[in-house]
Amino acid sequence: MQTFKVTRVYTSPGGHSYFDALEYPLTDAGPIGSLSDKVAVSQVIFRKVPPGYDDWHNAPQKQFVVLLNGGVEIETSLGEKRSFEQGEILLMEDTTGKGHRSRNLLPQERTSLFIIF
């Protein structure tokens, strides 16, 4: 079965942020390709991040982040770092606890799309 992969950032009961891998199952929809089940969301935000962005914070709400261009490095509260490139999707759920750090991979503006639950 085909799946669509998303990286999740969440808060543990101890308040630390961690990475997790999620896979949304896809079903063959004929000539239009493969589709997942619907995910109910409430809002969309368009974002431009300045070139030198480097910040510790919590996600303001549960949201998908779709990287439209540029790349970002995410660091968990325990120091694990992962890099994500254009086209990748993150599910940010660390709305409490110690949060995470986001920094641009290159000194250029990065654009993304927030899809809020």
Side-chain angles (χ1 to χ4, degrees):
M1 176 185 359
Q2 287 187 326
T3 61
F4 198 97
K5 295 180 182 172
V6 174
T7 300
R8 176 182 175 227
V9 179
Y10 70 97
T11 303
S12 72
H16 288 288
S17 55
Y18 291 91
F19 291 110
D20 190 17
L22 298 179
E23 293 189 21
Y24 290 85
L26 301 176
T27 303
D28 184 1
I32 65 167
S34 298
L35 301 173
S36 73
D37 288 340
K38 293 178 184 177
V39 177
V41 297
S42 65
Q43 297 175 324
V44 173
I45 297 173
F46 301 94
R47 182 183 190 199
K48 289 188 175 186
V49 181
Y53 185 76
D54 184 345
D55 183 46
W56 277 101
H57 59 281
N58 290 95
Q61 62 269 322
K62 182 178 174 181
Q63 62 192 10
F64 287 113
V65 176
V66 181
L67 299 171
L68 300 175
N69 78 330
V72 64
E73 178 185 77
I74 305 290
E75 180 178 351
T76 67
S77 60
L78 295 174
E80 182 181 359
K81 297 177 185 179
R82 293 190 189 176
S83 295
F84 302 92
E85 299 288 343
Q86 175 179 325
E88 292 191 79
I89 300 175
L90 300 160
L91 174 56
M92 304 305 295
E93 294 185 324
D94 66 333
T95 59
T96 62
K98 299 179 191 236
H100 64 275
R101 178 183 223 151
S102 300
R103 69 174 65 98
N104 289 354
L105 292 177
L106 299 173
Q108 66 186 37
E109 183 177 78
R110 174 173 46 91
T111 60
S112 55
L113 182 67
F114 291 175
I115 304 171
I116 301 166
F117 291 80

